[in-house]
Amino acid sequence: DIDATQTDDDHPQKLFGIVTYTGNGTSQSVSGLGFKPDLVWIKERGGTNLYSHSMHDSLRGRDKVIFAEDTREEDVSTSTQDLTAFGTDGFTVGSSQESKVNGTGSTFISWNWRANAGTNATNTSGTITSTVQANQDLGFSIVSWTGTGTNSTVGHGLSAAPDCMWIKNRTDNV
């Protein structure tokens, strides 16, 4: 059995967590994770707009948004919209009424992963140098690199090959 009160940092509940909340249209803190997330994936569950899947990570910075199900390139949000801060027990969402992460009366779900507490490292394991945050216990990493247009390899910072990869072009609508 997993003890929900476990305090060890490598305990599963300190590496991944799900939080649901209701948007209020004003800045609000969403808490209850028990750790500072490095990847926050937010999706509106119920409301009038049903916005895109909004993904934020501490490697690129809270103001960079990727839309998981869309072909749009990375977006840069303002300081009052979207995810405004990574907190020690969750995150803070902005005050925009039209925000895809905090619309008044809409319900939201967020999936949250802990990578490396916001500490980026340079990885030269591949033919392309990458920037990574890796969590060996979870087998999870966040990786950023600039492609060359040719076949290349990219280091991911993990000690074993990943079972799953999500790759998103951040600069082109593809």
Side-chain angles (χ1 to χ4, degrees):
D1 290 337
I2 295 175
D3 180 0
T5 63
Q6 179 70 34
T7 58
D8 293 343
D9 281 347
D10 64 350
H11 192 270
Q13 291 181 336
K14 297 288 185 175
L15 303 175
F16 173 78
I18 298 170
V19 176
T20 59
Y21 63 97
T22 301
N24 65 10
T26 63
S27 181
Q28 71 169 310
S29 293
V30 178
S31 60
L33 288 174
F35 63 91
K36 181 178 182 178
D38 290 303
L39 174 61
V40 177
W41 181 340
I42 301 171
K43 176 63 179 134
E44 184 178 11
R45 297 176 359 158
T48 57
N49 297 314
L50 296 178
Y51 285 106
S52 298
H53 295 247
S54 176
M55 298 178 81
H56 309 261
D57 63 78
S58 61
L59 183 131
R60 294 174 304 121
R62 68 104 211 129
D63 61 334
K64 307 291 190 305
V65 183
I66 290 176
F67 304 103
E69 83 301 345
D70 200 315
T71 60
R72 287 183 285 174
E73 74 277 2
E74 175 181 82
D75 194 16
V76 178
S77 67
T78 69
S79 61
T80 62
Q81 295 178 344
D82 299 316
L83 188 134
T84 60
F86 295 98
T88 57
D89 187 37
F91 54 91
T92 302
V93 290
S95 60
S96 173
Q97 278 289 341
E98 299 172 5
S99 173
K100 60 193 139 301
V101 298
N102 195 25
T104 301
S106 293
T107 58
F108 296 88
I109 187 168
S110 71
W111 299 274
N112 306 270
W113 291 263
R114 180 178 170 192
N116 194 16
T119 303
N120 298 341
T122 300
N123 186 298
T124 58
S125 293
T127 58
I128 294 178
T129 298
S130 60
T131 304
V132 302
Q133 283 188 33
N135 184 319
Q136 298 295 333
D137 293 327
L138 188 57
F140 167 74
S141 65
I142 304 168
V143 183
S144 178
W145 73 91
T146 301
T148 63
T150 61
N151 288 340
S152 303
T153 58
V154 178
H156 47 69
L158 298 174
S159 58
D163 291 326
C164 175
M165 291 187 286
W166 302 329
I167 299 173
K168 179 75 171 169
N169 186 322
R170 296 176 18 221
T171 58
D172 298 310
N173 289 327
V174 293

